[in-house]
Amino acid sequence: MISGCLRRVLQQILVTKVEKRDERVIAVGISIDSLLCHGLPTEPDTDAGTILVTGASGYIGGRLVPELTARGYNVRVMVRRYPSEYKALWPGCEVVVADALDMEALRGALEGVSLAYYLIHSMLLGREEFARADIRAASNFRRAAEERNIRRIIYLGGLGDVAKGLSKHLRSRIEVSEELCSGSVKVTVLRAAVIIGSGSASYEIMGNLVKKLPVIPEPRAAKSLCQPISIRDIVKYLVAVLEIEETSGKMFDVGGSEVMSYSEMLRKTAAVLGVKRVFVPVSFFSIGGYSYITSLLTPVPGPITRCLMEGLKNDVVCRENRIKEYVDFPMVGFEEAIERAIAKEKKDRVKTRWSNAYYPSKKLLPKLDDLKEAPQYKAFASLVTGKDAAKLFSSICAVGGPEGWFHGNWLWRLRGAIDRILLGVGTSRGRRKMSHLKVNDVVGFWRVEDLKVNRRLLLRSELKLPGNAWLEFNISEKEDSRELSITAWYYTGSVLGKLYWYFFLPFHHFIFKGLIEQIEERS
């Protein structure tokens, strides 16, 4: 009798916990089935306090934040700028603006924080600069965390044996973990290799190479071993170590269930995609040349591609499996991870992408609306239409998708190709989602700077330019009709910048007139 009563009480407590959790999930607008940590065999830490997530606007951080929020944690996200747009993205989270290279800003971001995720990485700076920036940022964060008496830091680093001549990228990851661990704050370090999932740089590099090259050169370095892990599993581990206090102050290797060479990964990707490819062994291998050509064939820019490809010479596999002593769950295999990524793309449900990170030369530029005076150079086109504003805006938000820019596509592609040759972002970055946009999304060589539904879309150029450029779409009411307009804004203070503007000026009338007519027609 007593045991039966006790069982009913425990069942009621469990049901109450689930109901509260479900209410929390619904409150933040997340489907339970879409949660990566649904079914994770750990319980939320009710005494965790405020949790800071750095790198929250990036690929991993953007997946982690909604998981923590859905599990009931008090989350503070740290971004470099523009908190207003992120408040809508992460309802219920506190948003702070800080840069890890700014010690004073870090102190403010860490005020009142109990635990912090360190997910900052500077690969976009390129191989010569990112290591210095990473160490400086980690040093600042460690010292600020000590000053604020943070209980714990959780860091996601990289696998690799320091005794075997690691690439700059992998060595930097290990140096960052050593810097974070050198202070008084306890650190939990997770070391992972290639992360596979929709929107990941590694997945998009492999997928595009397999899709575009009928014959794939296979350098000797591609025989190095790797233990890839799915984005679902890495997020689960990040949440689990937070909820298991015993992992504090420890380092763990985390990887998927399979160890394979990079060549095998490409072959399996081709098999999942259903394409037959010929792999040709090559003895000559120049990392610079190979990564440059790869960057021209994939959406991922040269600086990231080179950093990742330099790691081909190293085996990156788990040397221990102690994490399973604390948390164990069914892992997603490599082919299943590829299948899931493809399915997400087909359903247009890619949550975050490697392109979330700002291009270094553009990340701290002033917004167009923050300028004291409007840029001195502009090109303008407009038309009046009776079409509905919502349909017009939907058509505007489709630019840069599968149908390109509707008009003069070859000109857009040519300009993007020139930029990619110059190691810029080019047009091949594509988009995170084809159906709609949000602030900070990329559209080819543009990034969404502002979006007001059914009224305005403002894009900022991330091309290599002798100036700063924006493209603005506006819909305004005109009695019983609407005015649809496009304005290209350009700011420069150099002679080269002025020459650049006047050289392209004749093309603007042709491009924008045709584009605005196509937007109206497709609405």
Side-chain angles (χ1 to χ4, degrees):
M1 174 71 99
I2 295 176
S3 61
C5 291
L6 180 59
R7 185 168 57 253
R8 285 194 293 274
V9 170
L10 290 174
Q11 287 175 342
Q12 184 60 46
I13 291 173
L14 180 60
V15 168
T16 303
K17 281 186 176 181
V18 172
E19 287 177 347
K20 287 183 177 179
R21 166 120 176 261
D22 291 355
E23 289 173 4
R24 177 66 172 171
V25 170
I26 294 169
V28 297
I30 301 172
S31 164
I32 293 177
D33 293 335
S34 70
L35 290 171
L36 304 182
C37 294
H38 183 52
L40 185 67
T42 56
E43 287 294 323
D45 182 358
T46 56
D47 299 320
T50 299
I51 297 172
L52 178 73
V53 179
T54 66
S57 60
Y59 177 63
I60 304 285
R63 304 281 176 111
L64 176 63
V65 168
E67 299 290 329
L68 294 174
T69 305
R71 292 176 79 83
Y73 290 109
N74 180 27
V75 180
R76 178 185 297 173
V77 295
M78 187 177 101
V79 294
R80 287 192 182 98
R81 62 180 306 171
Y82 309 148
S84 58
E85 61 213 34
Y86 293 120
K87 287 177 181 176
L89 178 62
W90 298 309
C93 293
E94 180 188 359
V95 182
V96 295
V97 179
D99 192 315
L101 299 178
D102 183 342
M103 192 66 180
E104 193 57 40
L106 270 181
R107 292 188 181 102
L110 286 164
E111 179 68 37
V113 167
S114 176
L115 181 145
Y117 282 93
Y118 191 81
L119 304 174
I120 296 172
H121 198 36
S122 310
M123 260 200 303
L124 270 172
L125 290 173
R127 62 194 300 269
E128 299 301 329
E129 296 181 52
F130 78 82
R132 290 193 297 270
D134 275 354
I135 286 296
R136 183 181 163 199
S139 176
N140 286 350
F141 197 85
R142 173 187 59 77
R143 290 186 289 121
E146 288 175 327
E147 290 179 17
R148 295 304 189 204
N149 295 315
I150 305 303
R151 179 163 55 91
R152 182 158 53 129
I153 297 170
I154 297 174
Y155 171 62
L156 176 61
L159 283 171
D161 187 349
V162 291
K164 296 185 177 180
L166 293 178
S167 69
K168 284 189 175 182
H169 169 226
L170 295 175
R171 187 169 66 249
S172 173
R173 288 295 185 100
I174 290 173
E175 289 172 349
V176 166
S177 69
E178 290 173 347
E179 176 61 36
L180 292 172
C181 293
S182 67
S184 59
V185 178
K186 289 186 177 181
V187 181
T188 301
V189 178
L190 297 180
R191 301 185 344 130
V194 170
I195 296 175
I196 302 297
S198 59
S200 80
S202 297
Y203 161 70
E204 292 198 9
I205 288 174
M206 289 190 298
N208 278 273
L209 284 177
V210 166
K211 289 175 185 176
K212 295 178 180 178
L213 290 179
V215 178
I216 299 177
E218 193 174 47
R220 192 176 303 166
K223 298 296 183 183
S224 298
L225 296 178
C226 179
Q227 193 167 350
I229 185 170
S230 76
I231 180 62
R232 302 176 69 87
D233 292 339
I234 201 67
V235 171
K236 284 181 179 179
Y237 277 132
L238 285 168
V239 173
V241 294
L242 159 66
E243 297 175 350
I244 303 172
E245 184 62 32
E246 291 79 9
T247 63
S248 183
K250 293 181 175 66
M251 181 181 294
F252 303 96
D253 289 356
V254 293
S257 55
E258 303 164 83
V259 175
M260 64 191 81
S261 69
Y262 292 97
S263 293
E264 289 176 296
M265 289 165 64
L266 284 171
R267 283 177 163 82
K268 289 190 175 186
T269 301
V272 173
L273 288 169
V275 296
K276 292 184 178 180
R277 294 294 179 256
V278 177
F279 291 82
V280 179
V282 292
S283 56
F284 175 76
F285 177 60
S286 164
I287 289 178
Y290 202 86
S291 61
Y292 179 71
I293 293 171
T294 299
S295 73
L296 297 179
L297 295 170
T298 73
V300 185
I304 294 179
T305 302
R306 176 145 191 175
C307 286
L308 294 176
M309 286 204 160
E310 282 183 338
L312 285 177
K313 64 181 182 180
N314 301 117
D315 288 339
V316 281
V317 298
C318 297
R319 292 181 295 174
E320 48 83 14
N321 201 29
R322 292 181 300 110
I323 190 67
K324 297 294 185 182
E325 298 172 10
Y326 298 91
V327 59
D328 198 5
F329 51 81
M331 304 289 288
V332 175
F334 178 79
E335 289 176 79
E336 183 184 349
I338 296 291
E339 289 169 354
R340 285 178 178 272
I342 294 170
K344 289 290 184 182
E345 289 179 336
K346 287 182 177 179
K347 295 177 181 178
D348 204 18
R349 293 181 181 175
V350 181
K351 294 179 181 177
T352 60
R353 191 169 179 246
W354 62 267
S355 57
N356 286 38
Y358 279 84
Y359 210 64
S361 61
K362 305 294 180 183
K363 67 185 178 185
L364 295 180
L365 287 177
K367 296 174 76 172
L368 178 64
D369 295 341
D370 292 341
L371 297 176
K372 293 181 180 179
E373 296 181 2
Q376 66 269 50
Y377 301 103
K378 76 172 184 176
F380 179 81
S382 69
L383 59 79
V384 176
T385 176
K387 296 284 184 70
D388 180 71
K391 292 180 178 179
L392 288 168
F393 191 75
S394 178
S395 186
I396 289 171
C397 288
V399 297
E403 297 182 71
W405 287 78
F406 304 164
H407 177 74
N409 270 329
W410 69 273
L411 285 170
W412 294 97
R413 293 192 185 108
L414 177 61
R415 183 63 187 90
I418 293 171
D419 192 65
R420 181 50 71 92
I421 289 170
L422 297 173
L423 295 178
V425 296
T427 55
S428 60
R429 282 193 304 182
R431 298 170 45 138
R432 180 182 62 88
K433 286 194 173 185
M434 300 300 116
S435 57
H436 67 276
L437 294 171
K438 67 179 184 181
V439 172
N440 196 42
D441 274 353
V442 299
V443 182
F445 50 70
W446 303 93
R447 188 178 295 274
V448 179
E449 184 169 283
D450 187 42
L451 186 151
K452 293 181 174 61
V453 178
N454 299 339
R455 288 187 293 156
R456 185 197 198 203
L457 175 66
L458 178 63
L459 305 175
R460 181 176 69 254
S461 172
E462 293 189 341
L463 288 169
K464 288 181 175 290
L465 292 173
N468 303 318
W470 294 265
L471 189 62
E472 182 178 17
F473 298 84
N474 274 300
I475 301 170
S476 55
E477 296 294 328
K478 297 286 184 182
E479 297 181 352
D480 294 333
S481 59
R482 274 143 293 285
E483 181 181 31
L484 172 64
S485 65
I486 302 177
T487 307
W489 301 97
Y490 183 68
Y491 174 81
T492 184
S494 69
V495 173
L496 179 60
K498 294 174 183 177
L499 290 173
Y500 176 90
W501 172 259
Y502 286 114
F503 175 81
F504 282 98
L505 189 59
F507 298 98
H508 289 160
H509 176 74
F510 167 74
I511 292 174
F512 296 150
K513 184 176 183 298
L515 173 56
I516 202 169
E517 289 173 352
Q518 283 296 311
I519 288 173
E520 196 270 346
E521 182 178 324
R522 292 161 189 256
S523 301

